[in-house]
């Protein structure tokens, strides 16, 4: 970079002027600046209001996973991500699940937790009792912040209080349990937590520090199940292979991280397409996977009495249809329309089914032929494109590299040069 990264007033400038500064400081060529300035399906003025210091956008491809049948209803599922083979794998898994009727999914309702940290409390246990005695007053104060949510059947439902022993001494932590309806809930929960803080200080005689939502959304769970007919998925060996793959993940956190990553390939791709907070989903998923003190798979796989494979997924799924990018991003709005979900919990259920499907597909491939053959075919197309292939040439170059088992950039470049000459 040519110069200082201190740019006073950068945030006040229009997008194009910010880009000019970036170009000057980094030497970014015009063509590349133009690529960034194109915000795709997101109008630039919307992008500029969505986050700060905007200079442009980055677009992910959105694919549609087909074949999904969830709770007796068919869905076309938009998935946005950069990784080849995920959409194909989800579609393929959903097709196999259809043989036994597709996915069954339930949920525990859109319930989130807001935490309030109280320090310097003289008698923490006494403070705990006093907070619980004044529960209805605290819940009323919380609910006064969002009459709309309350009128729709949501709002603060419960107050629990824990006393933590920490490296800085005891802390009292009242937690608001809030039904956030069709919202992911970040704003509603944080507003309520902040609003009750003065009351909490008065009751406990302590000092409130943090007032924030918890992303360990273990009261907002989804549970998806599917039975996979043994013949449809490659016979007994495939069933046993998948059960063994699950046992490996259950026993070993190194494998488990990758197992859960496969689930999140599906969950997060739908989340991106539908404008969800993917950091919250990842934080929730992995903290929930660790709730026993050991990092565990979010799915389980077993063989039933018929010899068929039964998969189950249980995980937190904090998603929303009102507020956030789900409302402001036109592409996300379109994706939600394609998906046809009417509530946040229905979206959460679809995402759970896709997560389970994705995990099935990965384990089946890993436990049978391995993932590289399918993966490399798709990867070869990407390499062909990055080596300059366009149009029909992409498939010709990719096929040739797969045949030769030389899926490499240098070989792609040679092939592109040869084909361009002929
Ligand atoms: C790759 O993105 C995901 C997998 O590694 C998942 C897994 O190993 O279960 C294939």
């Amino acid at each position: 970079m040519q110069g200082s990264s201190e740019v006073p007033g950068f945030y006040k400038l229009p997008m194009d002027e910010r880009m000019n500064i970036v170009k000057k400081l980094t030497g970014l060529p015009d063509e590349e600046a133009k690529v960034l300035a194109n915000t795709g399906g997101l109008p630039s003025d919307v992008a500029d209001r969505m986050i700060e210091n905007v200079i442009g956008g980055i677009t992910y491809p959105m694919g549609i996973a087909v074949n999904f049948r969830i709770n007796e209803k068919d869905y076309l599922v938009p998935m946005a991500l950069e990784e080849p083979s995920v959409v194909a794998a989800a579609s393929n898994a959903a097709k196999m699940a259809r043989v036994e009727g597709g996915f069954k999914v339930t949920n525990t309702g859109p319930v989130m937790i807001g935490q309030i940290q109280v320090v310097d409390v003289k008698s923490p246990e006494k403070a705990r009792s006093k907070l619980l005695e004044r529960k209805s007053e605290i819940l009323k104060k919380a609910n006064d912040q969002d009459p709309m949510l309350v009128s729709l059947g949501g709002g603060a439902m419960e107050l629990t209080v824990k006393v933590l022993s920490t490296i800085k001494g005891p802390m009292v932590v009242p937690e608001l349990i809030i039904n956030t309806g069709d919202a992911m809930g970040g704003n509603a929960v944080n507003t309520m937590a902040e609003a009750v803080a003065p009351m909490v200080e008065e009751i406990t005689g302590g000092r409130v520090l943090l007032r924030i939502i918890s992303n360990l959304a273990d009261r907002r769970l989804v549970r998806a199940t599917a039975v996979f007919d043994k013949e449809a998925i490659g016979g007994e060996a495939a069933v046993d292979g998948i059960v063994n793959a699950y046992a490996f993940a259950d026993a070993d956190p190194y494998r488990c991280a990758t197992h859960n990553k496969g689930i999140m390939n599906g969950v997060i791709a739908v989340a991106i397409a539908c404008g969800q907070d993917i950091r919250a989903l990842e934080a929730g998923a992995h903290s929930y996977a660790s709730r026993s003190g050991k990092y565990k798979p979010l799915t389980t796989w077993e063989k039933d009495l018929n010899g068929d494979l039964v998969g189950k997924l249980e995980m937190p799924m904090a998603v929303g249809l009102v507020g956030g990018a789900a409302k402001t991003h036109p592409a996300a709005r379109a994706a939600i329309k394609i998906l046809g979900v009417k509530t946040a919990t229905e979206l959460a259920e679809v995402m759970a089914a896709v997560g389970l499907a994705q995990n099935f597909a990965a384990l089946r491939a890993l436990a049978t032929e391995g993932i590289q053959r399918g993966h490399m075919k798709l990867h070869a197309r990407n390499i062909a494109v990055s080596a300059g292939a366009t149009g029909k040439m992409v498939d010709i170059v990719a096929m040739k590299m797969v045949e030769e088992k030389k899926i490499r950039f240098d070989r792609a470049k040679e092939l592109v040069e040869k084909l361009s000459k002929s």
Side-chain angles (χ1 to χ4, degrees):
M1 117 154 237
Q2 300 135 19
S4 165
S5 66
E6 270 185 293
V7 189
F10 190 70
Y11 71 99
K12 288 189 207 150
L13 298 173
M15 269 171 77
D16 54 347
E17 286 180 32
R18 283 188 207 123
M19 178 61 97
N20 284 340
I21 293 177
V22 170
K23 275 164 53 181
K24 212 148 86 209
L25 286 172
T26 63
L28 187 76
D30 279 346
E31 316 81 75
E32 287 168 42
K34 253 193 220 144
V35 171
L36 283 177
N38 176 358
T39 47
L42 180 66
S44 55
D45 59 321
V46 179
D48 201 18
R49 284 194 301 269
M50 212 176 254
I51 62 165
E52 308 72 43
N53 296 0
V54 173
I55 58 162
I58 177 166
T59 314
Y60 277 47
M62 189 185 291
I64 296 288
V66 293
N67 303 323
F68 272 89
R69 188 160 180 79
I70 304 164
N71 292 345
E72 316 295 329
K73 185 172 161 191
D74 275 36
Y75 292 89
L76 291 177
V77 183
M79 298 177 79
L81 81 168
E82 84 302 342
E83 187 174 331
S85 85
V86 169
V87 179
S91 304
N92 199 24
K95 190 174 181 180
M96 293 184 195
R98 277 183 96 88
V99 176
E100 293 286 338
F103 300 86
K104 308 273 176 288
V105 192
T106 58
N107 71 84
T108 58
V111 180
M112 300 297 288
I113 300 167
Q115 299 191 294
I116 300 148
Q117 176 197 23
V118 198
V119 298
D120 301 339
V121 181
K122 286 210 183 72
S123 315
E125 284 304 333
K126 217 188 241 167
R128 181 174 176 275
S129 306
K130 279 203 215 153
L131 282 165
L132 290 172
E133 272 163 30
R134 296 190 46 193
K135 180 193 290 193
S136 51
E137 226 177 300
I138 296 171
L139 292 179
K140 179 173 180 315
K141 180 79 187 168
N143 281 329
D144 284 349
Q145 311 310 309
D146 203 334
M148 178 67 126
L149 180 63
V150 175
S151 74
L152 294 170
M157 304 148 44
E158 185 51 277
L159 176 82
T160 59
V161 185
K162 48 194 189 195
V163 176
L164 299 179
S165 139
T166 80
I167 50 169
K168 293 288 284 176
M171 287 177 195
V172 180
V173 182
E175 293 180 331
L176 290 169
I177 313 300
I178 302 165
N179 179 326
T180 63
D182 275 329
M184 182 273 183
N187 278 332
V189 172
N190 296 340
T191 303
M192 288 184 185
E194 289 192 5
V196 301
M199 192 183 274
V200 166
E201 284 191 331
E202 178 245 306
I203 297 170
T204 58
R207 199 156 53 88
V208 166
L209 291 176
L210 309 192
R211 295 142 293 166
I212 189 75
I213 195 168
S214 169
N215 289 124
L216 173 48
D218 64 357
R219 291 177 183 250
R220 197 174 194 168
L221 299 175
V222 273
R223 298 189 179 100
T225 314
V227 177
F228 292 87
D229 175 83
K230 65 171 176 298
E231 301 311 332
I233 67 168
E236 200 180 343
V239 174
D240 289 339
I242 291 168
V243 174
N244 269 310
Y246 157 63
F248 179 14
D250 186 59
D252 177 44
Y254 289 86
R255 171 56 208 150
C256 190
T258 324
H259 177 105
N260 286 342
K261 191 271 184 181
I263 296 168
M264 299 313 276
N265 273 348
V267 170
I268 295 299
V270 183
I272 293 176
C274 297
Q276 301 301 311
D277 179 344
I278 57 173
R279 288 83 52 211
L281 289 163
E282 290 282 4
H286 299 292
S287 53
Y288 191 67
S290 311
R291 68 195 180 284
S292 67
K294 280 198 178 134
Y295 185 65
K296 289 286 183 181
L298 293 165
T299 51
T300 59
W301 292 97
E302 59 191 22
K303 188 154 71 166
D304 70 10
L305 293 175
N306 293 328
D308 295 328
L309 179 72
V310 183
K312 291 191 178 129
L313 173 141
E314 180 181 286
M315 64 180 290
M317 202 68 90
V319 292
L321 291 182
V322 296
K327 260 279 178 283
T328 54
H329 198 308
R333 284 204 305 269
I336 291 166
K337 205 174 257 179
I338 292 171
L339 191 55
V341 293
K342 297 287 180 270
T343 61
T345 47
E346 189 182 0
L347 172 60
E349 289 185 344
V350 170
M351 288 165 62
V354 178
L356 184 61
Q358 208 72 54
N359 184 224
F360 164 80
L363 298 189
R364 178 169 176 266
L366 287 166
T368 54
E369 66 168 10
I371 58 163
Q372 281 312 81
R373 203 161 69 100
H375 224 78
M376 286 320 261
K377 263 192 228 157
L378 294 161
H379 181 55
R381 299 184 85 243
N382 280 345
I383 300 223
V385 171
S386 60
T390 51
K392 284 189 183 143
M393 204 195 280
V394 176
D395 281 329
I396 300 172
V397 172
M399 260 161 56
K400 186 88 185 134
M401 288 193 295
V402 170
E403 258 169 45
E404 296 174 349
K405 296 199 168 70
K406 271 193 208 157
I407 304 169
R408 295 194 319 252
F409 183 77
D410 57 334
R411 181 60 186 142
K413 201 109 196 123
E414 270 171 28
L415 288 166
V416 169
E417 272 161 26
K418 206 163 124 193
L419 284 165
S420 308
K421 277 185 206 143
S422 66

